[in-house]
Amino acid sequence: MAKLDDYRFYVQQVLERYGQLKPAYGDLERQLLFDPTRDHYQLVTVGWQQQQRVYGCVVHVDIKDGQIWIQHDTTETGVANDLVALGVPKADIVLAFHAPYKRPHTGFGVGKEQLGQHAA
Amino acid sequence: MAKLDDYRFYVQQVLERYGQLKPAYGDLERQLLFDPTRDHYQLVTVGWQQQQRVYGCVVHVDIKDGQIWIQHDTTETGVANDLVALGVPKADIVLAFHAPYKRPHTGFGVGKEQLGQHAA
Protein backbone atom coordinates (compact mmCIF):
# COMPACT_ATOMS: atom_id res chain seq x y z
CA MET A 1 0.00 0.00 0.00
CA ALA A 2 2.93 2.33 0.67
CA LYS A 3 3.91 1.92 -2.98
CA LEU A 4 0.41 2.83 -4.14
CA ASP A 5 0.33 5.86 -1.86
CA ASP A 6 3.59 7.00 -3.46
CA TYR A 7 2.11 6.46 -6.92
CA ARG A 8 -0.99 8.48 -6.02
CA PHE A 9 1.21 11.29 -4.77
CA TYR A 10 3.41 11.25 -7.88
CA VAL A 11 0.46 11.21 -10.27
CA GLN A 12 -1.20 14.15 -8.52
CA GLN A 13 2.10 16.03 -8.40
CA VAL A 14 2.70 15.57 -12.15
CA LEU A 15 -0.85 16.59 -13.08
CA GLU A 16 -0.73 19.63 -10.80
CA ARG A 17 2.45 20.73 -12.55
CA TYR A 18 0.83 20.48 -15.99
CA GLY A 19 -2.22 22.25 -14.58
CA GLN A 20 -0.10 25.28 -13.83
CA LEU A 21 0.88 25.68 -17.49
CA LYS A 22 -1.77 28.14 -18.62
CA PRO A 23 -2.54 28.23 -22.34
CA ALA A 24 -1.12 31.44 -23.83
CA TYR A 25 -4.25 32.23 -25.82
CA GLY A 26 -8.01 32.10 -25.42
CA ASP A 27 -10.08 32.25 -22.27
CA LEU A 28 -9.18 28.78 -21.08
CA GLU A 29 -9.33 27.17 -17.67
CA ARG A 30 -7.35 24.09 -16.68
CA GLN A 31 -9.26 21.89 -14.26
CA LEU A 32 -7.89 19.09 -12.12
CA LEU A 33 -10.24 16.21 -11.31
CA PHE A 34 -8.79 13.97 -8.61
CA ASP A 35 -10.92 11.03 -7.49
CA PRO A 36 -8.75 8.99 -5.09
CA THR A 37 -11.76 6.80 -4.18
CA ARG A 38 -11.93 5.43 -7.73
CA ASP A 39 -8.22 6.14 -8.42
CA HIS A 40 -8.94 8.28 -11.50
CA TYR A 41 -6.89 11.45 -12.04
CA GLN A 42 -7.42 13.92 -14.85
CA LEU A 43 -6.50 17.32 -16.21
CA VAL A 44 -9.00 19.02 -18.55
CA THR A 45 -8.99 22.23 -20.58
CA VAL A 46 -12.33 24.11 -20.64
CA GLY A 47 -13.22 27.46 -22.14
CA TRP A 48 -13.40 29.59 -25.23
CA GLN A 49 -11.07 30.62 -28.00
CA GLN A 50 -12.24 33.11 -30.62
CA GLN A 51 -15.91 32.33 -29.85
CA GLN A 52 -15.25 28.61 -30.28
CA ARG A 53 -15.86 26.20 -27.44
CA VAL A 54 -12.78 24.33 -26.25
CA TYR A 55 -13.19 21.17 -24.19
CA GLY A 56 -10.61 18.46 -23.97
CA CYS A 57 -8.77 16.09 -21.72
CA VAL A 58 -5.05 16.86 -21.39
CA VAL A 59 -4.09 13.83 -19.29
CA HIS A 60 -6.03 10.97 -17.72
CA VAL A 61 -4.30 8.50 -15.42
CA ASP A 62 -5.74 5.60 -13.43
CA ILE A 63 -4.16 3.46 -10.75
CA LYS A 64 -5.32 -0.13 -10.88
CA ASP A 65 -3.92 -3.54 -10.01
CA GLY A 66 -0.82 -1.91 -8.57
CA GLN A 67 0.06 -0.18 -11.83
CA ILE A 68 -0.29 3.35 -13.21
CA TRP A 69 -2.40 3.35 -16.38
CA ILE A 70 -1.97 6.32 -18.73
CA GLN A 71 -5.38 6.35 -20.42
CA HIS A 72 -4.90 9.58 -22.36
CA ASP A 73 -1.92 11.89 -22.73
CA THR A 74 -1.51 14.94 -24.94
CA THR A 75 1.66 16.25 -23.27
CA GLU A 76 4.87 16.61 -25.25
CA THR A 77 7.10 15.02 -22.62
CA GLY A 78 4.76 12.14 -21.87
CA VAL A 79 3.50 11.66 -18.34
CA ALA A 80 5.05 8.17 -18.35
CA ASN A 81 8.51 9.74 -18.68
CA ASP A 82 7.74 12.19 -15.86
CA LEU A 83 6.80 9.25 -13.65
CA VAL A 84 9.96 7.33 -14.56
CA ALA A 85 11.97 10.43 -13.61
CA LEU A 86 10.28 10.30 -10.19
CA GLY A 87 11.47 6.71 -9.74
CA VAL A 88 8.45 4.65 -10.88
CA PRO A 89 9.63 1.41 -12.56
CA LYS A 90 8.59 1.20 -16.21
CA ALA A 91 6.97 -2.19 -15.54
CA ASP A 92 4.48 -0.42 -13.25
CA ILE A 93 3.37 2.05 -15.95
CA VAL A 94 0.91 0.92 -18.66
CA LEU A 95 0.53 3.02 -21.80
CA ALA A 96 -3.15 2.13 -21.99
CA PHE A 97 -3.69 4.19 -25.16
CA HIS A 98 -1.62 1.58 -26.98
CA ALA A 99 -3.49 -1.62 -27.86
CA PRO A 100 -2.60 -4.49 -25.51
CA TYR A 101 -0.84 -6.44 -28.27
CA LYS A 102 1.51 -3.48 -28.79
CA ARG A 103 2.28 -2.93 -25.11
CA PRO A 104 5.04 -5.57 -24.82
CA HIS A 105 6.98 -3.49 -27.36
CA THR A 106 6.64 -0.14 -25.56
CA GLY A 107 9.28 -0.82 -22.91
CA PHE A 108 6.58 -0.11 -20.32
CA GLY A 109 4.16 -2.36 -18.44
CA VAL A 110 1.70 -4.67 -20.12
CA GLY A 111 -1.41 -4.65 -17.91
CA LYS A 112 -1.75 -8.40 -17.87
CA GLU A 113 -5.40 -8.77 -17.01
CA GLN A 114 -6.54 -7.29 -20.32
CA LEU A 115 -4.12 -9.11 -22.59
CA GLY A 116 -6.47 -11.98 -23.38
CA GLN A 117 -9.29 -9.75 -24.52
CA HIS A 118 -7.44 -7.89 -27.22
CA ALA A 119 -4.78 -10.30 -28.43
CA ALA A 120 -5.30 -10.82 -32.17
CA MET B 1 -24.95 25.35 1.84
CA ALA B 2 -27.87 22.94 2.16
CA LYS B 3 -28.83 23.88 -1.39
CA LEU B 4 -25.33 23.17 -2.67
CA ASP B 5 -25.25 19.82 -0.86
CA ASP B 6 -28.51 18.94 -2.62
CA TYR B 7 -27.02 20.00 -5.96
CA ARG B 8 -23.91 17.86 -5.35
CA PHE B 9 -26.13 14.91 -4.55
CA TYR B 10 -28.32 15.41 -7.63
CA VAL B 11 -25.35 15.80 -9.98
CA GLN B 12 -23.70 12.64 -8.69
CA GLN B 13 -27.00 10.77 -8.87
CA VAL B 14 -27.59 11.78 -12.50
CA LEU B 15 -24.03 10.91 -13.57
CA GLU B 16 -24.16 7.56 -11.77
CA ARG B 17 -27.32 6.75 -13.68
CA TYR B 18 -25.70 7.51 -17.04
CA GLY B 19 -22.65 5.54 -15.88
CA GLN B 20 -24.79 2.43 -15.62
CA LEU B 21 -25.75 2.58 -19.30
CA LYS B 22 -23.10 0.33 -20.78
CA PRO B 23 -22.30 0.79 -24.46
CA ALA B 24 -23.70 -2.15 -26.42
CA TYR B 25 -20.57 -2.63 -28.52
CA GLY B 26 -16.83 -2.56 -28.06
CA ASP B 27 -14.77 -3.19 -24.96
CA LEU B 28 -15.68 0.07 -23.27
CA GLU B 29 -15.55 1.13 -19.66
CA ARG B 30 -17.52 4.02 -18.21
CA GLN B 31 -15.63 5.84 -15.49
CA LEU B 32 -17.00 8.29 -12.96
CA LEU B 33 -14.66 11.01 -11.71
CA PHE B 34 -16.12 12.83 -8.72
CA ASP B 35 -13.99 15.56 -7.14
CA PRO B 36 -16.17 17.21 -4.47
CA THR B 37 -13.17 19.25 -3.23
CA ARG B 38 -12.99 21.12 -6.55
CA ASP B 39 -16.68 20.53 -7.35
CA HIS B 40 -15.95 18.87 -10.71
CA TYR B 41 -18.00 15.83 -11.74
CA GLN B 42 -17.46 13.81 -14.88
CA LEU B 43 -18.38 10.66 -16.76
CA VAL B 44 -15.87 9.32 -19.31
CA THR B 45 -15.86 6.45 -21.80
CA VAL B 46 -12.53 4.61 -22.12
CA GLY B 47 -11.63 1.52 -24.10
CA TRP B 48 -11.42 -0.13 -27.49
CA GLN B 49 -13.73 -0.72 -30.38
CA GLN B 50 -12.55 -2.79 -33.34
CA GLN B 51 -8.88 -2.15 -32.45
CA GLN B 52 -9.56 1.61 -32.32
CA ARG B 53 -8.95 3.57 -29.15
CA VAL B 54 -12.04 5.24 -27.69
CA TYR B 55 -11.64 8.03 -25.18
CA GLY B 56 -14.23 10.70 -24.57
CA CYS B 57 -16.09 12.70 -22.00
CA VAL B 58 -19.81 11.89 -21.79
CA VAL B 59 -20.77 14.56 -19.26
CA HIS B 60 -18.83 17.15 -17.27
CA VAL B 61 -20.58 19.25 -14.63
CA ASP B 62 -19.14 21.82 -12.22
CA ILE B 63 -20.73 23.53 -9.26
CA LYS B 64 -19.56 27.10 -8.84
CA ASP B 65 -20.97 30.34 -7.48
CA GLY B 66 -24.09 28.52 -6.31
CA GLN B 67 -24.95 27.29 -9.81
CA ILE B 68 -24.58 24.02 -11.69
CA TRP B 69 -22.46 24.51 -14.82
CA ILE B 70 -22.89 21.92 -17.59
CA GLN B 71 -19.47 22.13 -19.26
CA HIS B 72 -19.95 19.22 -21.67
CA ASP B 73 -22.93 17.00 -22.37
CA THR B 74 -23.33 14.30 -25.02
CA THR B 75 -26.51 12.76 -23.58
CA GLU B 76 -29.70 12.72 -25.60
CA THR B 77 -31.93 13.89 -22.77
CA GLY B 78 -29.60 16.61 -21.59
CA VAL B 79 -28.36 16.58 -18.02
CA ALA B 80 -29.91 20.02 -17.51
CA ASN B 81 -33.36 18.52 -18.09
CA ASP B 82 -32.60 15.67 -15.68
CA LEU B 83 -31.69 18.25 -13.03
CA VAL B 84 -34.84 20.29 -13.66
CA ALA B 85 -36.85 17.08 -13.20
CA LEU B 86 -35.18 16.71 -9.79
CA GLY B 87 -36.36 20.19 -8.81
CA VAL B 88 -33.35 22.38 -9.61
CA PRO B 89 -34.51 25.84 -10.79
CA LYS B 90 -33.45 26.59 -14.37
CA ALA B 91 -31.83 29.84 -13.21
CA ASP B 92 -29.35 27.76 -11.19
CA ILE B 93 -28.24 25.72 -14.22
CA VAL B 94 -25.78 27.23 -16.72
CA LEU B 95 -25.38 25.64 -20.15
CA ALA B 96 -21.70 26.54 -20.17
CA PHE B 97 -21.14 24.99 -23.61
CA HIS B 98 -23.21 27.84 -25.04
CA ALA B 99 -21.34 31.14 -25.41
CA PRO B 100 -22.21 33.62 -22.65
CA TYR B 101 -23.97 35.96 -25.10
CA LYS B 102 -26.33 33.13 -26.07
CA ARG B 103 -27.11 32.04 -22.51
CA PRO B 104 -29.86 34.60 -21.84
CA HIS B 105 -31.80 32.93 -24.69
CA THR B 106 -31.46 29.34 -23.41
CA GLY B 107 -34.10 29.62 -20.69
CA PHE B 108 -31.43 28.51 -18.23
CA GLY B 109 -29.02 30.45 -16.03
CA VAL B 110 -26.54 32.98 -17.32
CA GLY B 111 -23.46 32.62 -15.11
CA LYS B 112 -23.16 36.30 -14.48
CA GLU B 113 -19.52 36.50 -13.52
CA GLN B 114 -18.33 35.53 -17.00
CA LEU B 115 -20.70 37.68 -19.02
CA GLY B 116 -18.32 40.63 -19.30
CA GLN B 117 -15.51 38.56 -20.72
CA HIS B 118 -17.35 37.19 -23.70
CA ALA B 119 -19.95 39.81 -24.54
CA ALA B 120 -19.29 40.98 -28.08
Side-chain angles (χ1 to χ4, degrees):
Chain A
M1 283 308 289
K3 183 185 85 165
L4 288 188
D5 287 340
D6 285 347
Y7 287 1
R8 287 183 185 108
F9 178 74
Y10 294 153
V11 165
Q12 296 186 30
Q13 190 181 32
V14 168
L15 266 62
E16 278 170 354
R17 189 151 48 79
Y18 283 109
Q20 285 164 5
L21 303 173
K22 300 291 176 199
Y25 43 81
D27 181 12
L28 300 172
E29 178 190 356
R30 291 223 150 156
Q31 289 190 1
L32 291 165
L33 287 88
F34 290 169
D35 187 336
T37 307
R38 298 175 179 82
D39 261 335
H40 303 318
Y41 304 90
Q42 207 199 37
L43 176 65
V44 179
T45 303
V46 184
W48 297 90
Q49 189 181 340
Q50 295 178 335
Q51 311 270 351
Q52 293 295 310
R53 181 66 172 169
V54 176
Y55 183 90
C57 173
V58 182
V59 177
H60 180 138
V61 177
D62 295 333
I63 296 175
K64 60 175 176 176
D65 306 315
Q67 290 176 305
I68 300 174
W69 288 60
I70 318 284
Q71 297 285 10
H72 193 77
D73 185 358
T74 66
T75 67
E76 273 188 54
T77 312
V79 165
N81 294 317
D82 295 321
L83 292 167
V84 168
L86 287 167
V88 180
K90 285 188 169 187
D92 277 358
I93 302 172
V94 179
L95 304 184
F97 49 82
H98 283 312
Y101 72 88
K102 288 186 185 167
R103 287 182 201 151
H105 312 290
T106 60
F108 287 89
V110 171
K112 296 181 185 69
E113 83 283 7
Q114 285 206 348
L115 255 190
Q117 297 176 36
H118 298 284
Chain B
M1 283 308 291
K3 184 184 86 166
L4 289 188
D5 286 341
D6 284 348
Y7 287 1
R8 287 182 185 108
F9 177 75
Y10 294 153
V11 166
Q12 295 186 31
Q13 190 181 32
V14 168
L15 266 62
E16 278 169 355
R17 189 151 48 80
Y18 283 108
Q20 285 164 6
L21 304 173
K22 300 292 175 198
Y25 42 83
D27 181 11
L28 300 173
E29 178 190 357
R30 291 223 150 156
Q31 289 190 359
L32 291 165
L33 287 87
F34 290 170
D35 186 338
T37 307
R38 298 175 179 82
D39 261 336
H40 304 318
Y41 305 90
Q42 206 199 38
L43 177 65
V44 179
T45 303
V46 185
W48 297 89
Q49 189 181 339
Q50 295 177 333
Q51 310 272 353
Q52 293 294 310
R53 181 65 171 170
V54 177
Y55 183 89
C57 172
V58 182
V59 177
H60 179 138
V61 177
D62 295 332
I63 296 176
K64 59 174 176 176
D65 306 315
Q67 290 176 306
I68 300 174
W69 288 61
I70 317 284
Q71 298 285 9
H72 193 78
D73 185 359
T74 66
T75 68
E76 273 188 54
T77 312
V79 166
N81 294 318
D82 295 321
L83 292 168
V84 168
L86 287 168
V88 180
K90 285 189 170 188
D92 277 359
I93 301 172
V94 178
L95 304 184
F97 49 83
H98 283 311
Y101 73 89
K102 288 187 186 167
R103 287 181 202 151
H105 313 291
T106 60
F108 286 88
V110 170
K112 295 181 186 72
E113 82 283 4
Q114 285 207 344
L115 254 190
Q117 296 175 38
H118 299 283

